[in-house]
Structures are given as structure tokens and as C-alpha cells.
Amino acid sequence: MSSNPTSSSGTPGSADPAAARRNSKRPKYSRFTQQELPACKPILTPRWVISAFMVVSIIFIPIGVASLFASRDVVEIVDRYDDDCAPGSKSAKVNFITGPGDKTCNRTLTVSKHMRAPIYIYYQLDNFYQNHRRYVKSRSDQQLRHNSSVNDVSACRPEDTANGRPIVPCGLIAWSLFNDTYSFAISNRNLTVNKHGIAWKSDRDHKFGRDVFPSNFQSGGLIGGASLNESIPLSDQEDLIVWMRTAALPTFRKLYGRIHEDLQAGDVINVTLMNNYNTYNFNGQKKLVLSTTSWLGGKNDFLGIAYLTVGGLCFFLAMLFTLIYLVKPRRLGDPSYLSWNRNPGGR
């Protein structure tokens, strides 16, 4: 007695629906995948557009005016001294700045308007590219932070070692530390310059270690800038900390100190400076800046002008759209403005 085995393959019309669903690339149904969630679809009517432009102008114009007034209240004295403090041509200036002679220079500044304390002292450098990639990378953050990482100088070349020992702090940024100094006097009375607290607190507390001290610094054949006191930890070397926060643009200012004394209009400030820093090789400029501040910061008209420009443009557009809406009104959703209704038959 014979029997016919049952075939395991189905007929062409008997495909397994579960298998078909498993092989399908159709996403699982949800309101999110099918874009059926509630959505805000605002209709930009003329009134909404005009109101939005008016709100922006009402907010921006007062802010711009207040910013401009705050900037105009800042009193700033800027004195470029690199040309006057080094005689002769460019080659003569380079020889002077790299030579052993006395580099003391006396300058006179006149206060044009009452300056309220604190008065911030900045040095400004022009045409100095601290943002150069090779320059920015030439430092060791681990060495600056931990005493146990003194030998971590692999990223600091060419200022990594000197006389067979690691340099602390190493790298081109520290090596080129600004070293001009300033002292101020009015009527033979010295003004005290406070250099404490000029660096960011976060930098002092977290980026420069209290147990890391300078060593073997500026001991190579070529001296780049200022020297450091080896008995003071890096966390207290605030001139270095300020300098190590590199600038993004080739013209920048860095804080030198503060004067906690009001200066009256007409006061004559006698400045004695040491013109040590070499900017003559690369056609750089050095400037001394005395400045007050406002609630907005230092002197900067750009923010106020930007707010006024945007606010004025929005106000102009609001007036223009209002005029068009009143002179030539248009019913919302009028189908007669559709192209196929304006030109029936494609003619």
C-alpha cells in the first residue's frame, strides 16, 4: 500500500501573510511615522506679518539705542607707542629692540573726560596671529595642570627642552609672553596698578596647577619674551594665564591691570614704560589702552548699530506692508489669484 507524501511547498496563490509582513520594508504604523500628529500650521495673514515686524522693531530699537548710549559713555584712551619708542628704520628698530640698551620710554596721556574707577589697563597688539594652528597647539595642558606631568612636552616643539631638561611652561605661547611694563603717575604721584584678578577664575583654578612652578624657562639661546618667577606657582602667574588664552583675531587686547582711582578731565598721566617686546620683525603694532566700562562692557558700537539696523529694517517693512494692505487689499484665500485661474487654458 503506497501513500503520496504531502508537499511542503505551497501553491503559487498560498503565500504566508506573516512571512510577507516580516519581509516588508513598510514601517510599523504610528501617528508619528505617518505624520498624523497635531501640528501648528499658522497662516501668515497680512496682520500677523505686520504685527511680527512691529514687535521686533519695538524690541530691537530701544535695545540698540541703550547699547549705543552705553558705549558712548565709555571713556577710552589709546596710545600707540612702538614707533615713537624705537628710533630709525625697521632694521634700526629691530637692532634696538634686540640689543642690550636701555628701553625706557616716557609717554604723556591727557584725560579728556572724567574716568570713573575701576580703570582697565590693556595692551593691544596688531598683526600678531595668535590663532596660527602651529602656535595654538604648542602647549602642554597636562604639564600646566599637574606637577607629575613635567616631562609631557611632546606637543611643545621647538620650545620643549633646553640644556637637556624640560621647559616649564613649555611651548611657543608661553615662550612669547608679552614683557612690556607700564607705570603711571599724576603730578609726581604714582598710581597703583592692581594686577590681581586679571585672569579668569576658571583658568586659575582648573587649568594652572598650584603645585606647578616655572623651571628652565627662557634659558635657551633665543629669548622670546618675559621671564617668570620660579618661586610663584603657575596658578598665581596671572600675566601668563591671560597671555595663554589665545586670541581669535590678529588684533587683540589683553588685560594688564586696573587703577582703582577716578581720573578727572584734564589730568595729565605720565607713563613710564619698558619697550621690551619685539613686534618690529613682523610689522606689528603696540598700543596702550586705558578704558572704563559700562553695563555692556567696553567701548563697542557694533552691537547697538546692529540692533538699530535690524529694528529699523523691520519697522520699514511693517510700514510698507501696511501701506500695501490699505491701498490694495486682497481677500484671504482668493482663488482668482491662482495661475490657472488667471490664465485659463494655459493661454
Side-chain angles (χ1 to χ4, degrees):
M1 179 177 176
S2 64
S3 62
N4 295 327
T6 305
S7 175
S8 61
S9 60
T11 59
S14 61
D16 185 2
R21 283 196 299 270
R22 285 196 299 270
N23 295 330
S24 174
K25 295 183 179 179
R26 179 180 178 179
K28 183 180 179 182
Y29 173 81
S30 69
R31 299 184 68 187
F32 176 77
T33 58
Q34 297 303 318
Q35 300 183 18
E36 294 177 357
L37 293 174
C40 178
K41 300 177 181 178
I43 300 175
L44 296 179
T45 63
R47 291 182 181 179
W48 272 106
V49 173
I50 293 170
S51 300
F53 278 127
M54 285 300 297
V55 169
V56 172
S57 64
I58 290 172
I59 295 175
F60 275 44
I61 291 177
I63 294 177
V65 172
S67 300
L68 273 182
F69 274 109
S71 179
R72 299 294 167 84
D73 286 341
V74 174
V75 184
E76 192 174 87
I77 302 174
V78 181
D79 178 52
R80 179 184 174 185
Y81 62 88
D82 56 292
D83 271 346
D84 295 337
C85 290
S89 61
K90 176 182 176 180
S91 58
K93 294 177 187 294
V94 172
N95 292 332
F96 169 79
I97 203 71
T98 56
D102 182 22
K103 299 178 179 61
T104 303
C105 183
N106 297 309
R107 307 288 291 171
T108 300
L109 307 178
T110 302
V111 180
S112 60
K113 188 178 177 181
H114 175 68
M115 302 180 72
R116 292 187 296 271
I119 299 167
Y120 294 86
I121 307 168
Y122 301 92
Y123 56 87
Q124 177 175 321
L125 296 180
D126 296 353
N127 201 37
F128 190 111
Y129 288 82
Q130 270 199 319
N131 58 353
H132 192 283
R133 180 174 178 271
R134 182 66 186 90
Y135 184 88
V136 171
K137 293 179 64 177
S138 184
R139 62 186 293 165
S140 174
D141 290 325
Q142 289 298 319
Q143 186 200 63
L144 296 173
R145 193 179 299 117
H146 305 294
N147 186 40
S148 58
S149 302
V150 167
N151 294 316
D152 185 3
V153 296
S154 59
C156 295
R157 294 187 182 92
E159 294 299 320
D160 52 349
T161 60
N163 304 318
R165 296 184 296 124
I167 299 173
V168 182
C170 67
L172 289 173
I173 306 177
W175 173 80
S176 60
L177 174 61
F178 187 79
N179 61 343
D180 283 6
T181 59
Y182 313 100
S183 60
F184 305 87
I186 296 179
S187 302
N188 296 323
R189 178 177 59 87
N190 291 331
L191 297 177
T192 302
V193 177
N194 181 12
K195 297 179 69 66
H196 178 71
I198 61 175
W200 290 19
K201 186 177 185 300
S202 59
D203 288 354
R204 298 196 306 266
D205 294 344
H206 304 294
K207 292 188 176 182
F208 293 82
R210 296 187 179 278
D211 60 344
V212 183
F213 292 83
S215 66
N216 203 28
F217 187 68
Q218 301 289 18
S219 60
L222 184 62
I223 306 300
S227 299
L228 297 175
N229 190 333
E230 296 190 357
S231 64
I232 301 177
L234 294 186
S235 60
D236 294 335
Q237 306 260 11
E238 297 203 39
D239 284 325
L240 172 69
I241 298 174
V242 170
W243 181 258
M244 293 289 285
R245 180 167 283 277
T246 53
L249 299 174
T251 297
F252 59 86
R253 294 178 180 179
K254 291 186 181 291
L255 187 60
Y256 180 82
R258 303 183 188 88
I259 298 175
H260 295 281
E261 181 178 333
D262 286 7
L263 299 180
Q264 306 300 323
D267 283 350
V268 177
I269 306 173
N270 298 310
V271 182
T272 303
L273 62 89
M274 295 297 293
N275 183 30
N276 296 316
Y277 202 69
N278 184 7
T279 58
Y280 305 104
N281 273 330
F282 54 89
N283 296 321
Q285 298 178 7
K286 295 187 289 186
K287 297 176 184 177
L288 171 64
V289 181
L290 302 181
S291 177
T292 60
T293 58
S294 67
W295 60 270
L296 196 61
K299 191 175 186 65
N300 185 2
D301 292 340
F302 174 78
L303 189 62
I305 293 173
Y307 271 106
L308 283 177
T309 301
V310 175
L313 180 61
C314 289
F315 182 78
F316 171 76
L317 292 176
M319 293 296 101
L320 178 63
F321 291 161
T322 302
L323 183 62
I324 294 174
Y325 180 63
L326 294 177
V327 172
K328 194 177 180 181
R330 171 178 167 178
R331 184 166 61 90
L332 184 64
D334 189 354
S336 64
Y337 285 90
L338 297 174
S339 60
W340 52 83
N341 289 333
R342 297 176 66 178
N343 299 303
R347 297 191 299 271

